[in-house]
Amino acid sequence: MITILGNGTSPFPCSNIYHGKSALSETEVDGVVEYLRNLKANNQNFLIFLDWHSYGQYFLSPWSYSAYAPNPPDYDAMMAMGKAASDAIAAVHGTVFQSGSSIELLNEAAGSSKDWGYVPYDETSKFRGGLGAKYSYTVELRDKGTYGFLLPEDQIQPVGEEMYAGVRAIGDYILRELGFIP
C-alpha cells in the first residue's frame, strides 16, 4: 500500500519530491529543526527564514500546502520583500527571479520548510509549531532548467554575487521596517 502524505509530494524514495518516511524523518532536517526550536525556546526571535534550493529562479513564500489556503496574514509584506530581493538580484547580472507564493508560481508542496518557518511557534510540539518568522522563503537558485541541479562551475560565483545582493536587500528591508534606516 502507498501512503500519500500531502499534495505535491511523492511516496517513492527516488523521486525529487519524495516526502520521506514521516515528518522530520531525515536526520539533517530534524537536527536543524531541533537547533532552531532550542534557540526559539531561549527567546531568540526570528524575523526571516530562508531555505536555499536549486533550481528555477524563484523567491517563494507561503503557502505551499494547499491551493485552497487563504493568503497568510503577512502576505503583502512578504510579496514586497520578495520583490525587493528579486530586483536586487536582477541588478547584478540581469538574472530574473520571480517572487510570489508557491501556489501562485508553481504548485502545492506539502511539508515545505517555508511553511514551517512561517507557522507560529508551539513550545509543546515540534510537529505542530513552526518558527514564527514573519518572512519565510524558499529561494530556488539558477537556472531555469538547462543545467538543473548540475550548474556549471563558471556560474557559481555569479550565483553567490546575486544571492549576496538579494540577502543585502532583505537586510535593508528589515532595517527600514524596524526604523533603523530611512
Side-chain angles (χ1 to χ4, degrees):
M1 182 169 127
I2 295 174
T3 303
I4 304 298
L5 290 181
N7 294 337
T9 71
S10 170
F12 302 108
C14 292
S15 171
N16 285 339
I17 58 171
Y18 175 56
H19 52 56
K21 294 176 184 175
S22 62
L24 307 178
S25 62
E26 305 313 302
T27 305
E28 300 85 355
V29 173
D30 187 52
V32 169
V33 166
E34 197 62 35
Y35 174 75
L36 294 173
R37 285 182 55 77
N38 284 336
L39 291 174
K40 190 75 175 177
N42 287 300
N43 298 315
Q44 171 67 53
N45 189 28
F46 292 91
L47 288 173
I48 304 165
F49 176 82
L50 296 172
D51 187 11
W52 306 91
H53 288 232
S54 63
Y55 58 92
Q57 296 174 202
Y58 294 105
F59 229 87
L60 301 170
S61 65
W63 295 120
S64 306
Y65 71 92
S66 172
Y68 302 104
N71 288 332
D74 298 304
Y75 176 83
D76 290 340
M78 283 190 273
M79 293 302 104
M81 180 185 277
K83 182 176 179 346
S86 295
D87 289 349
I89 290 166
V92 178
H93 296 293
T95 307
V96 176
F97 274 63
Q98 288 183 282
S99 60
S101 74
S102 290
I103 295 300
E104 294 166 336
L105 298 177
L106 293 175
N107 51 29
E108 292 177 321
S112 168
S113 60
K114 75 183 136 310
D115 288 0
W116 176 83
Y118 182 73
V119 169
Y121 175 70
D122 179 345
E123 67 183 37
T124 65
S125 172
K126 69 180 175 180
F127 298 104
R128 283 196 309 256
L131 196 56
K134 178 179 178 180
Y135 300 99
S136 187
Y137 302 93
T138 296
V139 181
E140 297 283 355
L141 302 171
R142 286 188 187 191
D143 72 343
K144 302 283 282 170
T146 302
Y147 302 105
F149 297 111
L150 302 173
L151 199 62
E153 183 179 336
D154 66 347
Q155 291 192 35
I156 294 172
Q157 183 167 341
V159 166
E161 293 165 352
E162 291 165 351
M163 292 308 106
Y164 174 79
V167 169
R168 183 156 181 168
I170 288 169
D172 287 347
Y173 189 97
I174 290 295
L175 289 173
R176 273 197 253 358
E177 182 174 301
L178 296 174
F180 291 112
I181 62 175

